Amino acid sequence: MKIKTLVAVLLLSGGVTTTFAQSDCNANSSISHEAVRAGNFKDAYAPCMAVLKDCPTLRYYTFGDAQKILIGLMKQNNDRNSAEYKKLFDELMNVHDQKIKYLPEFSKKYKTGIPSPASALGTKAVDYLQYAPAPDLNQAYAWLKESVDGAKGESDGAVLHFFLDVSMQKVKADTNHTDQFFQDYIDASKYADDAIAAETKEAKKKNLQLIKDNLVAMFINSGVADCESLQNIYGPKVEENKTDSVFLKKAVAILKMMKCNENEAYFKASEYLYNINPTADAAVGVA
């Protein structure tokens, strides 16, 4: 009897503890969320961090609040080399990692509005580039490429922009990255086109078009996209992809945009494209 009574007391006390913990989480969540809405990041910090520590899956918006809080506090600290700034930055990266960890759980809980882990990794990379005391371009590129390869046409515009920008910085530092830079442009441009085609809201479609235009401008102004380089890159690739109309269209468009209409790669891509789909544009290249 005594054992049964003890078990009952322990179960009851455990339930009470859980209830109090849940109550604390709800209270801290409300306090921090209201403070964030008021722009009071200092007072929002402690309760928000407590929620992420004790009940990280309580509400998805807690992660967005935490990002705003930490970025807001970092912006108030002008010394990126200070211990306090570095602490806040490390916490920001941890918030991103924690969010990515729990995204599958949130996806089951909510039907819409939850990004994929690949997309969330891109957001982390963007914050890393903007707020790291001394960002490592190779690390940022690795995250951005993994994100873009995974999210494809669902990639955020900012992620596509930074992806190509970092790739351009890498090729300027090491010409061995040239081939990869060209491929990165092809991929980023295609995913931007896919996003534009899928978007139904005109305002967002215009914003995506601006991002696509910026990608094109970055490629043209990179300093490595001359006709000789394009021939060296696209010559073999055109042969490898002579039955891939999507690749051929992109190759023809890039070579035409860069005024490399006299290149053998341009002629071959146009010819193969005409054989697949004899359009007027392809006929011009053949002619």
Side-chain angles (χ1 to χ4, degrees):
M1 178 64 77
K2 288 183 179 181
I3 292 176
K4 290 183 179 180
T5 302
L6 178 59
V7 170
V9 170
L10 289 173
L11 289 173
L12 180 60
S13 64
V16 171
T17 302
T18 301
T19 301
F20 276 120
Q22 186 71 18
S23 177
D24 287 344
C25 283
N26 284 320
N28 282 327
S29 178
S30 297
I31 292 169
S32 64
H33 191 55
E34 288 304 314
V36 168
R37 292 177 65 181
N40 185 357
F41 301 128
K42 182 179 178 181
D43 289 341
Y45 173 82
C48 185
M49 294 302 109
V51 173
L52 290 181
K53 178 178 179 293
D54 298 331
C55 40
T57 59
L58 179 67
R59 295 184 178 91
Y60 177 68
Y61 67 64
T62 304
F63 292 98
D65 283 354
Q67 288 169 237
K68 291 176 184 176
I69 292 165
L70 293 166
I71 290 172
L73 292 175
M74 283 191 291
K75 286 181 176 179
Q76 292 172 17
N77 186 329
N78 294 322
D79 186 3
R80 291 199 170 199
N81 293 317
S82 69
E84 179 61 24
Y85 184 95
K86 290 178 179 178
K87 173 179 174 292
L88 292 168
F89 174 74
D90 288 342
E91 288 180 327
L92 176 63
M93 292 296 99
N94 288 333
V95 166
H96 280 292
D97 290 339
Q98 195 175 13
K99 180 175 74 172
I100 292 170
K101 174 183 176 181
Y102 289 113
L103 280 176
E105 190 168 336
F106 282 115
S107 294
K108 294 177 182 178
K109 188 176 180 180
Y110 303 102
K111 292 183 178 179
T112 60
I114 305 301
S116 67
S119 182
L121 180 61
T123 304
K124 175 187 177 180
V126 170
D127 276 357
Y128 174 78
L129 283 166
Q130 290 183 304
Y131 301 110
D136 179 343
L137 287 183
N138 290 324
Q139 176 63 83
Y141 177 77
W143 284 339
L144 288 164
K145 181 164 176 51
E146 182 179 345
S147 172
V148 169
D149 287 347
K152 300 186 184 301
E154 295 180 359
S155 299
D156 289 342
V159 173
L160 291 175
H161 172 86
F162 278 99
F163 171 57
L164 193 62
D165 180 66
V166 172
S167 187
M168 182 174 66
Q169 292 182 58
K170 281 176 65 65
V171 81
K172 287 183 177 180
D174 181 6
T175 55
N176 290 324
H177 187 72
T178 301
D179 192 351
Q180 186 59 53
F181 171 67
F182 281 22
Q183 187 60 51
D184 290 343
Y185 171 72
I186 293 171
D187 292 341
S189 181
K190 178 184 184 304
Y191 299 149
D193 286 339
D194 291 345
I196 291 169
E199 184 55 60
T200 57
K201 295 183 180 179
E202 198 58 35
K204 289 186 177 180
K205 191 181 285 286
K206 287 182 179 179
N207 186 54
L208 287 168
Q209 185 59 54
L210 286 174
I211 289 167
K212 169 66 186 299
D213 293 343
N214 285 336
L215 295 177
V216 174
M218 272 194 283
F219 182 75
I220 292 173
N221 296 324
S222 66
V224 297
D226 58 82
C227 291
E228 183 180 355
S229 298
L230 288 169
Q231 173 61 40
N232 291 336
I233 294 296
Y234 280 109
K237 287 186 177 294
V238 166
E239 290 300 321
E240 293 169 8
N241 297 275
K242 58 185 179 182
T243 59
D244 185 347
S245 63
V246 174
F247 172 83
L248 294 171
K249 284 180 183 177
K250 186 62 64 178
V252 168
I254 290 174
L255 290 163
K256 185 177 180 181
M257 176 183 69
M258 299 304 296
K259 303 187 187 308
C260 300
N261 306 52
E262 300 299 319
N263 274 28
E264 180 67 18
Y266 177 76
F267 297 144
K268 283 292 184 182
S270 298
E271 179 184 357
Y272 292 142
L273 186 59
Y274 185 82
N275 291 336
I276 297 170
N277 185 17
T279 63
D281 286 342
V284 169
V286 174

